[in-house]
Amino acid sequence: MKSYLAAAIQMTSVPNLEKNLAQAEEFIDLAVHQGAELVGLPENFSFMGEEKDKLAQVEAIAKESEIFLKKMAQRYQVTILGGSYPVPVGDSGKFYNTSTLIDPNGQEVARYQKVHLFDVNVPDGNTYRESSTVMAGSQTPPIYFSEKLGNIGLSVCYDVRFPELYRYLSHKGADILFIPAAFTAFTGKDHWQVLLQARAIENTAYVIAPAQTGVNYARRQTHGHAVIIDPWGMILADAGEKPGVAIAEINFSRLEQVRRQMPSLQHRVFI
Ligand SMILES: O=C(O)CNC(=O)[C@H](CS)NC(=O)CCC(=O)C(=O)O
């Protein structure tokens, strides 16, 4: 398989759908002009805001996000991950925190509904109750098996704390793990990079982690540091703290080399 460039986009999404889509378009354009063929957007790329504000506009956010992703993938002829956006679940008043992967034909090739919900009182005083508006997904995460891009497994944000999800993905053949996020600034400073490197190292897989950064709304501040990590755990690119793009090469001979040097996947006993 040929090497190619992947991009992890970093945004400060706000409670304004149009503004966020315009920002995402700018960064997709930038990533493609730098040669990226696989482009990831962060969790909640199209809307970050109070849950009640999100709920009030959820139909439009879901519809416009899907139209946007398909348009971008076709226009730029790249594969795009819509890190996540809310998709209403019938008339339940809740939505799935949904991540979709769209190929250059504008076809959806994978869809994942976030399984682990962030119901946490963070020690900085912020309280998160994702389950008050989000329905937990009940399906195992999908892998898109691509002859051109490799086998790409999906996940979202808080999932990164549950290594069994990634073990499942690598067991099923994933070479690349997408971990789009809106990590809190408080937890991010101590946990983000360590968790991502651990998932890359233990699964000897590439990790592509698009991220939210800065002040998104009210007291919500996100950590940034969208990164791409190689299967040895090396940080290949880091977007820092400002909105932007992290770009790095996905190289299958490097992947095979690491899997020869450190054959831990072959030594698995439990799963
Ligand atoms: O708050 C918002 O508006 C946006 N947040 C999100 O989209 C999600 C669900 S609340 N955030 C996380 O999962 C953070 C996980 C995390 O930070 C950790 O695991 O430490």
Side-chain angles (χ1 to χ4, degrees), residues 33 39 66 72 89 91 106 127 155 169 189 218 232 254 264:
H33 281 99
V39 178
E66 287 182 20
M72 292 297 113
V89 187
D91 294 329
T127 298
S155 70
L169 288 171
K189 67 181 174 6
W232 188 259
R254 173 67 179 152
S264 60

Side-chain angles (χ1 to χ4, degrees), residues 118-269:
F118 193 55
D119 287 355
V120 177
N121 300 325
V122 175
D124 66 357
N126 273 308
T127 298
Y128 296 80
R129 283 288 169 274
E130 191 175 15
S131 66
S132 68
T133 48
V134 176
M135 183 90 83
S138 56
Q139 308 292 314
T140 49
I143 299 175
Y144 171 48
F145 295 93
S146 164
E147 292 188 357
K148 193 165 161 244
L149 301 175
N151 302 333
I152 304 173
L154 268 50
S155 70
V156 175
C157 196
Y158 186 50
D159 283 335
V160 74
R161 295 179 184 273
F162 301 86
E164 63 277 15
L165 183 152
Y166 302 90
R167 191 51 124 200
Y168 166 82
L169 288 171
S170 60
H171 179 57
K172 294 283 179 190
D175 305 319
I176 299 164
L177 305 169
F178 256 128
I179 314 180
F183 237 65
T184 75
F186 189 86
T187 54
K189 67 181 174 6
D190 300 321
H191 297 170
W192 170 247
Q193 190 176 312
V194 183
L195 287 167
L196 293 172
Q197 282 180 302
R199 300 296 85 84
I201 294 167
E202 71 201 2
N203 296 294
T204 52
Y206 280 97
V207 164
I208 305 176
Q212 291 284 349
T213 193
V215 178
N216 306 89
Y217 62 97
R219 289 187 304 133
R220 286 293 156 83
Q221 197 169 347
T222 45
H223 175 66
H225 294 281
V227 287
I228 299 182
I229 305 178
D230 90 349
W232 188 259
M234 309 302 292
I235 310 276
L236 300 179
D238 181 338
E241 299 197 337
K242 295 203 178 73
V245 184
I247 293 196
E249 188 180 68
I250 305 296
N251 181 324
F252 292 92
S253 38
R254 173 67 179 152
L255 182 82
E256 280 162 23
Q257 181 191 45
V258 169
R259 287 183 174 179
R260 274 196 309 274
Q261 290 170 335
M262 183 51 69
S264 60
L265 278 185
Q266 290 174 37
H267 296 154
R268 281 175 292 131
V269 174

